[in-house]
Amino acid sequence: MRAPLLFLPIFALSTLMIASFESTAHAEDFDDMDADDAGKKKEKKEKKSKRQAASPEVREIVKGGYAKANVGGAIYLGNFSGSVKPGTSLGLSLGKDFVDKEKSSMAVEFSFAQGIHNGTPFKEAPLVGVYIQGDLRTYSITGVAEWSFYPGRRIGLGLRAGGGVLFSPLLMDPTYYQDEVLAGWGIGDPGYHNTPHPMGMGGPTFEYYTKLSHFSVGIDSDVFYAVGFDLGTTVTGTMKYTF
């Protein structure tokens, strides 16, 4: 009986040693697995960083050469305001962005625009003190420089300024105008309809870039002054296609 009893402490000690060894082995295995996971995560992170560095940021707008159409209204603010009614303004433009940054851009633009207005009949000109033929049709050729900034990915706000020349052709027979209209007014030719008028213009712009990245829509608002003619303003909606 004593021999088996002697083996009990030895058996208990052996069991404790084996349990301790197995727990240590498992702990080392867990550490190794954690180390492998950390290495894999680090490797994935490095690969992702390399891909981001290799691929440039995708922009949702296109800049470059463009064509633009303007449709809206125009009104005279100076001497003509009492005799010429608000009318329509139509324009076609060609331009190019020569500065293209993520948050700002600059462009030059050349435009041809037409204005159409109804006016007081020429026989009533002495009553209003504005000696024009009545209804007006104007044509202008202008060049502007525009600076814009982008508070959002698809929204552009800008300012533009420039100048050009405005024409308002005579809409009646020149002989009748000389012999009947000017004679009836009792004045010489005021020069509204037979000479070009240098003009300056400028104002704010708004532009929204649609999900069709080459197309944008917006609003141009300009104040203009034509020397020897009058002060006026136009507000037009725009549609632009960038090549």
Side-chain angles (χ1 to χ4, degrees), residues 135-174:
D135 295 345
L136 283 181
R137 182 162 294 184
T138 61
Y139 302 94
S140 60
I141 300 172
T142 58
V144 299
E146 181 178 323
W147 173 82
S148 298
F149 74 99
Y150 303 94
R153 290 185 298 178
R154 297 183 182 277
I155 295 176
L157 302 175
L159 292 171
R160 65 183 197 157
V165 62
L166 178 144
F167 305 86
S168 181
L170 189 66
L171 301 180
M172 62 179 69
D173 180 75

Side-chain angles (χ1 to χ4, degrees), residues 55-77:
S55 61
E57 182 180 355
V58 177
R59 295 187 63 186
E60 298 184 4
I61 62 177
V62 174
K63 287 292 188 178
Y66 62 84
K68 185 171 76 172
N70 291 60
V71 180
I75 186 171
Y76 286 99
L77 305 173

Side-chain angles (χ1 to χ4, degrees), residues 173-196:
D173 180 75
T175 301
Y176 181 82
Y177 181 68
Q178 290 287 338
D179 298 343
E180 299 293 333
V181 176
L182 293 179
W185 287 342
I187 63 170
D189 190 345
Y192 291 133
H193 308 296
N194 59 4
T195 58

Side-chain angles (χ1 to χ4, degrees), residues 18-28:
I18 291 170
S20 176
F21 176 80
E22 287 180 350
S23 64
T24 304
H26 283 299
E28 289 177 355

Side-chain angles (χ1 to χ4, degrees), residues 10-55:
I10 297 173
F11 177 77
L13 181 61
S14 301
T15 303
L16 291 173
M17 292 178 64
I18 291 170
S20 176
F21 176 80
E22 287 180 350
S23 64
T24 304
H26 283 299
E28 289 177 355
D29 289 342
F30 288 141
D31 291 340
D32 290 341
M33 290 177 64
D34 292 341
D36 290 342
D37 290 343
K40 290 179 181 178
K41 290 180 180 178
K42 183 178 181 182
E43 185 178 353
K44 288 181 180 179
K45 188 174 182 181
E46 289 177 352
K47 288 182 179 179
K48 185 177 180 181
S49 299
K50 289 179 179 179
R51 285 198 302 269
Q52 290 176 346
S55 61

